[in-house]
mmCIF file of all heavy atoms in Angstrom:
data_model
loop_
_atom_site.group_PDB
_atom_site.id
_atom_site.type_symbol
_atom_site.label_atom_id
_atom_site.label_comp_id
_atom_site.label_asym_id
_atom_site.label_seq_id
_atom_site.Cartn_x
_atom_site.Cartn_y
_atom_site.Cartn_z
ATOM 1 N N TYR A 1252 -17.761 -5.142 -20.464
ATOM 2 C CA TYR A 1252 -18.359 -4.954 -19.124
ATOM 3 C C TYR A 1252 -19.851 -5.341 -19.132
ATOM 4 O O TYR A 1252 -20.309 -6.089 -18.300
ATOM 5 C CB TYR A 1252 -18.181 -3.538 -18.661
ATOM 6 C CG TYR A 1252 -18.802 -3.301 -17.316
ATOM 7 C CD1 TYR A 1252 -18.122 -3.725 -16.149
ATOM 8 C CD2 TYR A 1252 -20.048 -2.696 -17.149
ATOM 9 C CE1 TYR A 1252 -18.797 -3.546 -14.912
ATOM 10 C CE2 TYR A 1252 -20.645 -2.604 -15.944
ATOM 11 C CZ TYR A 1252 -19.978 -2.922 -14.762
ATOM 12 O OH TYR A 1252 -20.553 -2.808 -13.575
ATOM 13 N N PHE A 1253 -20.596 -4.765 -20.078
ATOM 14 C CA PHE A 1253 -21.998 -4.955 -20.065
ATOM 15 C C PHE A 1253 -22.469 -6.356 -20.575
ATOM 16 O O PHE A 1253 -23.455 -6.867 -20.209
ATOM 17 C CB PHE A 1253 -22.729 -3.895 -20.938
ATOM 18 C CG PHE A 1253 -22.676 -2.525 -20.205
ATOM 19 C CD1 PHE A 1253 -21.978 -1.493 -20.797
ATOM 20 C CD2 PHE A 1253 -23.320 -2.327 -19.005
ATOM 21 C CE1 PHE A 1253 -21.869 -0.238 -20.193
ATOM 22 C CE2 PHE A 1253 -23.198 -1.074 -18.332
ATOM 23 C CZ PHE A 1253 -22.497 -0.025 -18.984
ATOM 24 N N LYS A 1254 -21.538 -6.989 -21.352
ATOM 25 C CA LYS A 1254 -21.812 -8.367 -21.681
ATOM 26 C C LYS A 1254 -21.607 -9.237 -20.512
ATOM 27 O O LYS A 1254 -22.340 -10.250 -20.298
ATOM 28 C CB LYS A 1254 -20.863 -8.807 -22.803
ATOM 29 C CG LYS A 1254 -21.127 -10.158 -23.369
ATOM 30 C CD LYS A 1254 -20.137 -10.560 -24.435
ATOM 31 C CE LYS A 1254 -20.284 -9.695 -25.688
ATOM 32 N NZ LYS A 1254 -19.335 -10.088 -26.787
ATOM 33 N N GLY A 1255 -20.647 -8.920 -19.631
ATOM 34 C CA GLY A 1255 -20.361 -9.699 -18.459
ATOM 35 C C GLY A 1255 -21.242 -9.388 -17.294
ATOM 36 O O GLY A 1255 -21.343 -10.079 -16.299
ATOM 37 N N HIS A 1256 -21.893 -8.152 -17.333
ATOM 38 C CA HIS A 1256 -22.711 -7.756 -16.215
ATOM 39 C C HIS A 1256 -24.101 -7.304 -16.844
ATOM 40 O O HIS A 1256 -24.440 -6.133 -16.835
ATOM 41 C CB HIS A 1256 -22.132 -6.601 -15.510
ATOM 42 C CG HIS A 1256 -20.805 -6.942 -14.875
ATOM 43 N ND1 HIS A 1256 -19.611 -6.923 -15.597
ATOM 44 C CD2 HIS A 1256 -20.480 -7.276 -13.601
ATOM 45 C CE1 HIS A 1256 -18.638 -7.243 -14.782
ATOM 46 N NE2 HIS A 1256 -19.103 -7.496 -13.558
ATOM 47 N N PRO A 1257 -24.870 -8.260 -17.346
ATOM 48 C CA PRO A 1257 -26.170 -7.912 -17.985
ATOM 49 C C PRO A 1257 -27.111 -7.229 -17.085
ATOM 50 O O PRO A 1257 -28.040 -6.515 -17.559
ATOM 51 C CB PRO A 1257 -26.682 -9.254 -18.468
ATOM 52 C CG PRO A 1257 -25.975 -10.230 -17.639
ATOM 53 C CD PRO A 1257 -24.641 -9.726 -17.329
ATOM 54 N N GLN A 1258 -26.959 -7.383 -15.771
ATOM 55 C CA GLN A 1258 -27.895 -6.732 -14.822
ATOM 56 C C GLN A 1258 -27.736 -5.206 -14.861
ATOM 57 O O GLN A 1258 -28.648 -4.472 -14.451
ATOM 58 C CB GLN A 1258 -27.679 -7.252 -13.400
ATOM 59 C CG GLN A 1258 -26.379 -6.858 -12.769
ATOM 60 C CD GLN A 1258 -25.202 -7.825 -13.022
ATOM 61 O OE1 GLN A 1258 -25.193 -8.449 -14.111
ATOM 62 N NE2 GLN A 1258 -24.287 -7.947 -12.069
ATOM 63 N N TYR A 1259 -26.595 -4.724 -15.384
ATOM 64 C CA TYR A 1259 -26.385 -3.312 -15.451
ATOM 65 C C TYR A 1259 -26.533 -2.753 -16.892
ATOM 66 O O TYR A 1259 -26.336 -1.543 -17.126
ATOM 67 C CB TYR A 1259 -24.967 -2.926 -14.972
ATOM 68 C CG TYR A 1259 -24.728 -3.348 -13.538
ATOM 69 C CD1 TYR A 1259 -23.631 -4.099 -13.171
ATOM 70 C CD2 TYR A 1259 -25.605 -2.940 -12.500
ATOM 71 C CE1 TYR A 1259 -23.387 -4.454 -11.873
ATOM 72 C CE2 TYR A 1259 -25.392 -3.273 -11.221
ATOM 73 C CZ TYR A 1259 -24.289 -4.046 -10.913
ATOM 74 O OH TYR A 1259 -24.058 -4.389 -9.561
ATOM 75 N N HIS A 1260 -26.908 -3.641 -17.821
ATOM 76 C CA HIS A 1260 -27.155 -3.195 -19.215
ATOM 77 C C HIS A 1260 -28.611 -2.806 -19.347
ATOM 78 O O HIS A 1260 -29.528 -3.578 -19.222
ATOM 79 C CB HIS A 1260 -26.745 -4.384 -20.127
ATOM 80 C CG HIS A 1260 -26.869 -3.991 -21.598
ATOM 81 N ND1 HIS A 1260 -26.999 -4.965 -22.575
ATOM 82 C CD2 HIS A 1260 -26.797 -2.816 -22.242
ATOM 83 C CE1 HIS A 1260 -27.027 -4.346 -23.765
ATOM 84 N NE2 HIS A 1260 -26.917 -3.022 -23.539
ATOM 85 N N MET A 1261 -28.799 -1.518 -19.694
ATOM 86 C CA MET A 1261 -30.167 -0.956 -19.592
ATOM 87 C C MET A 1261 -30.898 -1.078 -20.909
ATOM 88 O O MET A 1261 -32.126 -0.687 -20.947
ATOM 89 C CB MET A 1261 -30.036 0.561 -19.242
ATOM 90 C CG MET A 1261 -29.507 0.805 -17.866
ATOM 91 S SD MET A 1261 -30.532 0.161 -16.539
ATOM 92 C CE MET A 1261 -29.449 -1.141 -15.902
ATOM 93 N N HIS A 1262 -30.316 -1.634 -21.956
ATOM 94 C CA HIS A 1262 -30.986 -1.673 -23.290
ATOM 95 C C HIS A 1262 -32.318 -2.378 -23.194
ATOM 96 O O HIS A 1262 -33.304 -1.986 -23.853
ATOM 97 C CB HIS A 1262 -30.115 -2.352 -24.286
ATOM 98 C CG HIS A 1262 -30.729 -2.570 -25.602
ATOM 99 N ND1 HIS A 1262 -31.114 -1.463 -26.428
ATOM 100 C CD2 HIS A 1262 -31.011 -3.719 -26.337
ATOM 101 C CE1 HIS A 1262 -31.658 -1.939 -27.496
ATOM 102 N NE2 HIS A 1262 -31.594 -3.294 -27.493
ATOM 103 N N ASP A 1263 -32.379 -3.488 -22.371
ATOM 104 C CA ASP A 1263 -33.657 -4.196 -22.270
ATOM 105 C C ASP A 1263 -34.339 -4.006 -20.956
ATOM 106 O O ASP A 1263 -35.045 -4.879 -20.506
ATOM 107 C CB ASP A 1263 -33.345 -5.697 -22.498
ATOM 108 C CG ASP A 1263 -32.349 -6.247 -21.465
ATOM 109 O OD1 ASP A 1263 -31.736 -5.479 -20.715
ATOM 110 O OD2 ASP A 1263 -32.124 -7.468 -21.479
ATOM 111 N N LYS A 1264 -34.125 -2.867 -20.334
ATOM 112 C CA LYS A 1264 -34.759 -2.564 -19.050
ATOM 113 C C LYS A 1264 -35.486 -1.225 -19.087
ATOM 114 O O LYS A 1264 -35.056 -0.213 -18.526
ATOM 115 C CB LYS A 1264 -33.705 -2.548 -17.920
ATOM 116 C CG LYS A 1264 -32.998 -3.907 -17.785
ATOM 117 C CD LYS A 1264 -31.930 -3.881 -16.745
ATOM 118 C CE LYS A 1264 -31.307 -5.250 -16.555
ATOM 119 N NZ LYS A 1264 -30.691 -5.719 -17.824
ATOM 120 N N PRO A 1265 -36.595 -1.165 -19.820
ATOM 121 C CA PRO A 1265 -37.349 0.114 -20.024
ATOM 122 C C PRO A 1265 -37.870 0.648 -18.743
ATOM 123 O O PRO A 1265 -38.231 1.877 -18.682
ATOM 124 C CB PRO A 1265 -38.443 -0.269 -20.993
ATOM 125 C CG PRO A 1265 -38.652 -1.746 -20.796
ATOM 126 C CD PRO A 1265 -37.267 -2.322 -20.486
ATOM 127 N N GLU A 1266 -37.959 -0.146 -17.702
ATOM 128 C CA GLU A 1266 -38.542 0.353 -16.454
ATOM 129 C C GLU A 1266 -37.578 1.278 -15.702
ATOM 130 O O GLU A 1266 -38.000 2.102 -14.882
ATOM 131 C CB GLU A 1266 -38.916 -0.822 -15.487
ATOM 132 C CG GLU A 1266 -37.695 -1.599 -14.922
ATOM 133 C CD GLU A 1266 -37.138 -2.631 -15.843
ATOM 134 O OE1 GLU A 1266 -37.552 -2.679 -17.014
ATOM 135 O OE2 GLU A 1266 -36.198 -3.319 -15.394
ATOM 136 N N VAL A 1267 -36.288 1.222 -16.030
ATOM 137 C CA VAL A 1267 -35.254 2.116 -15.412
ATOM 138 C C VAL A 1267 -35.288 3.428 -16.166
ATOM 139 O O VAL A 1267 -35.262 3.452 -17.414
ATOM 140 C CB VAL A 1267 -33.871 1.450 -15.452
ATOM 141 C CG1 VAL A 1267 -32.778 2.392 -14.839
ATOM 142 C CG2 VAL A 1267 -33.872 0.110 -14.744
ATOM 143 N N PRO A 1268 -35.277 4.540 -15.443
ATOM 144 C CA PRO A 1268 -35.234 5.848 -16.116
ATOM 145 C C PRO A 1268 -34.128 5.922 -17.220
ATOM 146 O O PRO A 1268 -32.978 5.501 -16.904
ATOM 147 C CB PRO A 1268 -34.968 6.832 -14.995
ATOM 148 C CG PRO A 1268 -35.605 6.177 -13.810
ATOM 149 C CD PRO A 1268 -35.335 4.748 -14.015
#
Side-chain angles (χ1 to χ4, degrees):
Y1252 178 80
F1253 290 114
K1254 186 182 295 183
H1256 300 81
Q1258 68 273 30
Y1259 300 128
H1260 185 201
M1261 296 296 114
H1262 176 62
D1263 58 352
K1264 298 176 179 60
E1266 70 280 4
V1267 179

